[in-house]
Amino acid sequence: MGLFGKSEPKAPPADPAYILAEAQECLKEKDMEGALAKFDELCALPVQSPLPLLSRATCLLQLQKYERVIEDCTKVLKFLNSDLNGHEEEGCTTVHSLALMRMAKAHKELGQMDEAKSALMRRNVVEHKLGRDNVDSEDLVDENMADEWKEKGNAEYKQENWTQALDYYRSGLSCDMYNAKLHGNTCMTLIKLRKWSQALKHAEQCIVLEPEWVKGYYMKGMILSNESKLEQARDVLRKAKSMEPQNTQISELLSEVETRVDYVESRLRRRKPQTAEKPKDEDSGTEQPVEDVDSDEDYCEDGSCRTSKTIKLKVTRKDIVNVAVDVCAAMVGVALVWWFVRQDA
């Protein structure tokens, strides 16, 4: 408060252009910490733009703060994609592709090679679909060689040699990372090997590369179902069914998942929270359920669910008191016998 009770005037709102100029000045002087402080200030402003986040991610990458790089790049990807003001940076022409490039580098430095490859692939897909990828198409795609690897993988798959088939499919992807069919075959092989998390990544790549191909959604629903993520599986399979209403495989799997969801929901509805009540009269004979240790667990094997049984025993307070009295009497008897024996000795 100022003199005579008057409040002090509020400071004018920060000017984003002025803060950005200060950040750029810090970058020219190679003062990364100073630049980061300015970018933090800029990102804290209610400015609906991905560029401050992208600039901060670039600064964080220089400071080797890789986890924060990934966080900022993930936020950038939630914005609509846009061009980098008509210029190109590290082969990237859009905000999303540059964010994915930064993310790939951060994952690589953290030793997360699968995540790095996935981010780089997504970056390449963005630029490739726009026809702006400067990399020679022959370096990115060798369709003939990819088809050869796929045929070899298919032959091993039919023989149920899952591991060998997987190696061939992955070799095919190294020749053509945009081949949705190869991603689909890789996904199905990983499903056979029950490697759900890896399979899920390839199913999602199928959806990214060919959004109208129903198999990507079907495989994703199958994986989520096996991971017991039933509600997510149901939503994905409903999407697949809307695309191909006559597909019997999708309908059967969706029906199975919906049955399991209904079963789980009905179980949850029956498990009402126990309200605290005063104990009834000790002689009322109130029946107290005593459940075995697994009674609250649902078991699902091969799509079928079973529930362990509940054992109910009639136990009253009077029963407990009687048992306690009997135990005490027995202990007193033992003590008296011991005392008489010592007296005779």
Side-chain angles (χ1 to χ4, degrees), residues 16 19-20 35-57 60 68 72 75-76 79:
I19 298 173
L20 179 60
L36 178 59
K38 295 300 177 182
F39 283 129
D40 285 339
E41 186 179 353
L42 194 60
C43 291
L45 297 176
V47 179
Q48 297 299 319
S49 171
L51 294 179
L53 290 166
L54 191 58
S55 298
R56 185 169 68 177
L60 289 167
R68 290 189 61 189
D72 277 355
K75 293 177 183 178
V76 170
F79 288 86

Side-chain angles (χ1 to χ4, degrees), residues 10-238:
K10 295 182 180 179
D15 184 357
Y18 179 74
I19 298 173
L20 179 60
E22 288 185 322
Q24 291 174 341
E25 188 64 27
C26 289
L27 290 175
K28 289 180 181 179
E29 297 176 359
K30 297 183 179 181
D31 179 10
M32 292 300 171
E33 292 292 348
L36 178 59
K38 295 300 177 182
F39 283 129
D40 285 339
E41 186 179 353
L42 194 60
C43 291
L45 297 176
V47 179
Q48 297 299 319
S49 171
L51 294 179
L53 290 166
L54 191 58
S55 298
R56 185 169 68 177
T58 303
C59 186
L60 289 167
L61 194 62
Q62 295 292 326
L63 293 170
Q64 301 181 2
K65 298 183 179 183
Y66 302 119
E67 290 85 358
R68 290 189 61 189
V69 173
I70 295 170
E71 290 177 8
D72 277 355
C73 290
T74 302
K75 293 177 183 178
V76 170
L77 295 175
K78 294 180 180 179
F79 288 86
L80 291 176
N81 197 16
S82 60
D83 287 341
L84 290 171
N85 299 324
H87 71 274
E88 181 177 325
E89 187 173 342
E90 297 185 36
C92 301
T93 62
T94 70
V95 171
H96 280 193
S97 57
L98 185 56
L100 288 165
M101 180 69 79
R102 296 280 185 269
M103 187 182 294
K105 290 182 178 180
H107 279 303
K108 181 180 178 181
E109 293 296 334
L110 291 171
Q112 301 166 350
M113 301 310 296
D114 288 340
E115 290 81 356
K117 290 178 182 178
S118 178
L120 187 59
M121 181 189 304
R122 291 170 64 190
R123 174 266 167 202
N124 289 339
V125 168
V126 171
E127 294 292 332
H128 190 71
K129 286 187 174 182
L130 294 173
R132 300 174 180 176
D133 208 322
N134 292 331
V135 181
D136 190 350
S137 61
E138 293 182 358
D139 294 334
L140 283 174
V141 178
D142 187 344
E143 294 181 356
N144 293 332
M145 185 61 68
D147 287 339
E148 290 182 15
W149 286 117
K150 185 174 70 172
E151 292 303 321
K152 291 181 178 180
N154 290 345
E156 296 295 334
Y157 187 93
K158 291 176 182 178
Q159 298 296 321
E160 299 186 1
N161 297 327
W162 315 125
T163 302
Q164 186 61 58
L166 180 61
D167 289 340
Y168 286 144
Y169 290 141
R170 283 175 169 170
S171 296
L173 285 172
S174 67
C175 299
D176 184 4
M177 66 177 65
Y178 308 112
N179 193 315
K181 299 296 188 294
L182 271 171
H183 279 288
N185 291 358
T186 304
C187 180
M188 288 303 300
T189 307
L190 289 166
I191 288 173
K192 293 292 185 181
L193 293 169
R194 304 182 69 81
K195 296 183 179 181
W196 308 119
S197 60
Q198 295 181 43
L200 182 60
K201 294 177 182 179
H202 288 279
E204 291 175 340
Q205 286 297 330
C206 289
I207 295 172
V208 170
L209 294 170
E210 292 192 19
E212 302 303 319
W213 190 32
V214 73
K215 188 174 181 179
Y217 299 93
Y218 173 73
M219 292 186 296
K220 184 175 181 178
M222 184 189 304
I223 295 162
L224 293 172
S225 173
N226 278 282
E227 290 186 314
S228 296
K229 299 176 181 178
L230 300 178
E231 292 186 354
Q232 296 180 45
R234 179 189 59 189
D235 295 341
V236 173
L237 290 169
R238 284 177 176 175

Side-chain angles (χ1 to χ4, degrees), residues 157 188 192 213-215 217-219 221-222 237-238 240-241 244-257:
Y157 187 93
M188 288 303 300
K192 293 292 185 181
W213 190 32
V214 73
K215 188 174 181 179
Y217 299 93
Y218 173 73
M219 292 186 296
M222 184 189 304
L237 290 169
R238 284 177 176 175
K241 186 174 175 61
E244 288 191 12
Q246 305 303 320
N247 191 308
T248 56
Q249 284 184 311
I250 294 173
S251 298
E252 291 173 359
L253 182 56
L254 176 58
S255 177
E256 176 190 332
V257 169

Side-chain angles (χ1 to χ4, degrees), residues 279-307:
K280 297 184 179 180
D281 186 76
E282 61 182 15
D283 294 323
S284 63
T286 305
E287 195 174 77
Q288 303 293 335
V290 180
E291 299 184 350
D292 60 20
V293 293
D294 293 324
S295 60
D296 287 336
E297 298 292 336
D298 295 332
Y299 296 89
C300 295
E301 296 176 356
D302 300 328
S304 61
C305 296
R306 64 181 177 85
T307 308

